[in-house]
Amino acid sequence: MATIVLYSINRTAQTTVRQCLIPYSKGASRVDSHLSVFLKTSVRRLTSLPRVIWVPKATGRTRRGAVLVAGAAAAVAGFVASATHFQRAEMASVIPKTEEDTEIAEKCKTFMSPPCTDVKVLQQRKEEMCTRMEMLIMETQAEFCRALEEVDGGKFKVDRWERKEGGGGISCVLQDGKVFEKAGVNVSVVFGNLTEEAAKQMRSRGKVLKGKDGKLPFCAMGVSSVIHPTNPHIPTVHFNYRYFEIEEGDGTKQWWFGGGTDLTPTYVNKEDGAHFHNSLKEACDKHHPQYYPDFKKWCDRYFYIPHRGETRGIGGIFFDDLDSPSQEEAFSFVRSCAQTVVPCYLPIVQKHLNDPFSPEEKDWQQVRRGRYVEFNLVYDRGVKFGLATPGSRIESILMSLPLTAKWEYMHEPPKGTLEADMLDVLRNPKEWV
């Protein structure tokens, strides 16, 4: 097998958040050349942002370096003629842990909670995509939560839950914080048999699913987050990255990835929109030049509210049923997108952290949140799938809803106002890159 070099990065909140929590200000980027590859990648993403200064510090408990991992353990065949039966049995019973097993165990210690799947099982199945994806979503949850905690000063409540039909999840929620009115970052790893309603939804998207005796075993996992800030000048952000695997009646498996990241501001800010979309474009361009334009358009279509004639926000990227060009390349693309979540959003939060706002601006935020609720409850595919899956955790599914929202009868902002400018962008999606 090919040798793989894995880089470990600092998992503490201080260093993680320093990757991105630098307000827009004049000056050139300054980068510590000894930081990890992940930091360097983040720097490249942010140096394209106007007026950003990068000031990483090597404080806190930092683990650096590279771990060289070479393949799986070699099998031992044959025996030495003069060796005794006892010696052979003793040799066979000694199965030392590989460095990769140790790496998985160490990574799990940095998560918000132990993973949904037992660590020993993850080590045994370390080459399987389900294991690799679970490790990625757990890592994404931890990095994003700790970055938000550093900004807000509050702590996420970590809530583990189990699904009696199979699997479970970890919900992390920060509520009534100094910066975030409600912030949720969920991980779920579930398995069992698809219900007819869930299978019907998938078949409507062109999936050909052939079960056995009416059963379709499946495994689904993902990380999903929605952040609702208190300040109307800090936009709401949503991201979701997921993996789905179905075993058909003949034993063959269908698999695909889906996900995306999108921004929902209350007021238009061209600089924020450009930074957000440029960050996503850079992640996409590493894998295919057509990914960003295609997935940007898909995002605008997906987050459209037909009964309002407007989009939920200013978009980002969205994709689903991604099963090409190969499983490895599709996973690599999803990993790039997940690693972009912090650098594409946290600088925007830091920039507007102390922006003053009026009661009128807060009212407009409440109206826009009402639109957010309408989309999530009526059209969102993930919510519909969750509600159609037995044993789903309703609290986690509805975590995406804000604490407060408002519906005003026949509300239409006056022409020439900032609110009217926002509505115009939502009714006529624009290109930000």
Side-chain angles (χ1 to χ4, degrees):
M1 299 180 71
T3 298
I4 305 169
V5 179
L6 301 175
Y7 289 85
S8 63
I9 63 174
N10 179 18
R11 299 293 183 188
T12 63
Q14 289 184 341
T15 306
T16 300
V17 79
R18 285 193 190 99
Q19 294 170 9
C20 303
L21 298 188
I22 297 89
Y24 299 169
S25 59
K26 294 182 179 179
S29 298
R30 291 184 282 131
V31 183
D32 181 353
S33 61
H34 298 293
L35 292 180
S36 68
V37 170
F38 175 79
L39 269 175
K40 292 178 181 177
T41 304
S42 297
V43 168
R44 285 198 296 272
R45 295 189 186 114
L46 285 173
T47 49
S48 63
L49 179 64
R51 303 187 290 115
V52 175
I53 182 168
W54 187 274
V55 192
K57 298 179 182 178
T59 61
R61 295 173 59 191
T62 306
R63 299 195 307 275
R64 302 179 187 166
V67 179
L68 192 64
V69 182
V76 180
F79 60 94
V80 179
S82 61
T84 65
H85 175 77
F86 174 78
Q87 288 173 321
R88 290 198 302 273
E90 183 179 43
M91 290 176 63
S93 67
V94 178
I95 307 175
K97 284 188 176 181
T98 66
E99 290 183 2
E100 191 169 349
D101 287 339
T102 303
E103 181 75 7
I104 287 177
E106 288 301 310
K107 279 187 177 181
C108 289
K109 293 178 183 178
T110 69
F111 298 156
M112 298 297 287
S113 168
C116 300
T117 304
D118 185 84
V119 176
K120 292 181 179 179
V121 175
L122 293 175
Q123 291 171 333
Q124 292 167 1
R125 303 174 181 175
K126 55 181 173 283
E127 300 298 332
E128 295 183 13
M129 185 52 67
C130 284
T131 294
R132 298 171 67 193
M133 187 64 182
E134 183 170 350
M135 293 295 290
L136 174 62
I137 61 180
M138 291 295 301
E139 183 178 349
T140 302
Q141 180 189 54
E143 290 180 353
F144 195 52
C145 284
R146 289 181 178 131
L148 296 179
E149 287 179 339
E150 183 73 11
V151 175
D152 187 274
K155 291 292 182 182
F156 276 87
K157 176 183 178 180
V158 180
D159 187 13
R160 288 183 65 90
W161 52 274
E162 293 184 0
R163 175 176 175 267
K164 66 179 182 179
E165 291 82 1
I170 300 152
S171 297
C172 296
V173 179
L174 190 159
Q175 194 165 289
D176 290 319
K178 294 179 181 178
V179 177
F180 305 109
E181 188 174 298
K182 187 179 181 185
V185 191
N186 285 345
V187 158
S188 62
V189 179
V190 299
F191 53 87
N193 289 299
L194 276 185
T195 64
E196 185 55 38
E197 177 63 26
K200 183 179 178 181
Q201 287 184 32
M202 292 180 180
R203 290 188 179 105
S204 70
R205 307 201 316 261
K207 295 290 180 186
V208 178
L209 305 175
K210 299 177 181 179
K212 184 176 182 180
D213 299 325
K215 294 183 178 180
L216 276 167
F218 80 96
C219 176
M221 60 190 65
V223 57
S224 179
S225 177
V226 177
I227 310 301
H228 293 290
T230 301
N231 193 319
H233 297 293
I234 302 177
T236 288
V237 74
H238 158 259
F239 72 85
N240 173 283
Y241 292 99
R242 57 193 178 272
Y243 174 71
F244 216 99
E245 197 174 88
I246 292 180
E247 184 176 337
E248 297 191 88
D250 61 0
T252 60
K253 290 183 179 180
Q254 284 198 50
W255 59 265
W256 64 87
F257 293 90
T261 306
D262 62 280
L263 198 69
T264 304
T266 303
Y267 290 95
V268 180
N269 185 297
K270 294 180 180 179
E271 192 176 70
D272 293 349
H275 164 65
F276 185 80
H277 278 268
N278 267 305
S279 298
L280 295 174
K281 183 178 184 300
E282 288 183 17
C284 291
D285 286 351
K286 294 176 185 176
H287 302 273
H288 198 290
Q290 202 57 37
Y291 275 178
Y292 173 77
D294 286 352
F295 297 160
K296 193 270 183 188
K297 291 177 183 176
W298 198 344
C299 187
D300 289 338
R301 291 194 306 269
Y302 179 78
F303 290 107
Y304 181 70
I305 309 173
H307 64 269
R308 294 290 187 180
E310 59 194 49
T311 57
R312 190 177 74 173
I314 65 168
I317 59 171
F318 176 86
F319 60 93
D320 207 354
D321 302 322
L322 183 67
D323 56 6
S324 64
S326 69
Q327 190 178 59
E328 186 61 37
E329 290 180 54
F331 174 71
S332 179
F333 168 63
V334 169
R335 181 173 53 204
S336 293
C337 293
Q339 291 173 344
T340 307
V341 169
V342 172
C344 77
Y345 181 60
L346 269 294
I348 298 174
V349 174
Q350 186 72 10
K351 174 185 174 183
H352 298 289
L353 205 55
N354 298 310
D355 285 5
F357 58 89
S358 67
E360 292 75 21
E361 290 171 329
K362 187 66 179 177
D363 283 343
W364 175 240
Q365 180 194 50
Q366 297 292 84
V367 171
R368 294 313 313 166
R369 283 181 175 178
R371 301 292 199 270
Y372 205 94
V373 171
E374 289 174 26
F375 176 85
N376 282 27
L377 293 183
V378 178
Y379 301 109
D380 187 75
R381 187 181 293 175
V383 171
K384 291 167 72 174
F385 175 80
L387 295 177
T389 303
S392 293
R393 193 166 186 268
I394 301 302
E395 286 295 326
S396 298
I397 295 172
L398 299 182
M399 173 217 69
S400 63
L401 303 182
L403 277 184
T404 57
K406 177 185 281 190
W407 285 264
E408 291 188 9
Y409 182 70
M410 298 294 289
H411 185 277
E412 187 74 22
K415 291 183 179 180
T417 63
L418 294 177
E419 290 78 10
D421 290 345
M422 182 76 253
L423 203 54
D424 181 64
V425 169
L426 299 175
R427 290 172 176 170
N428 303 283
K430 62 173 293 184
E431 297 298 322
W432 297 93
V433 175

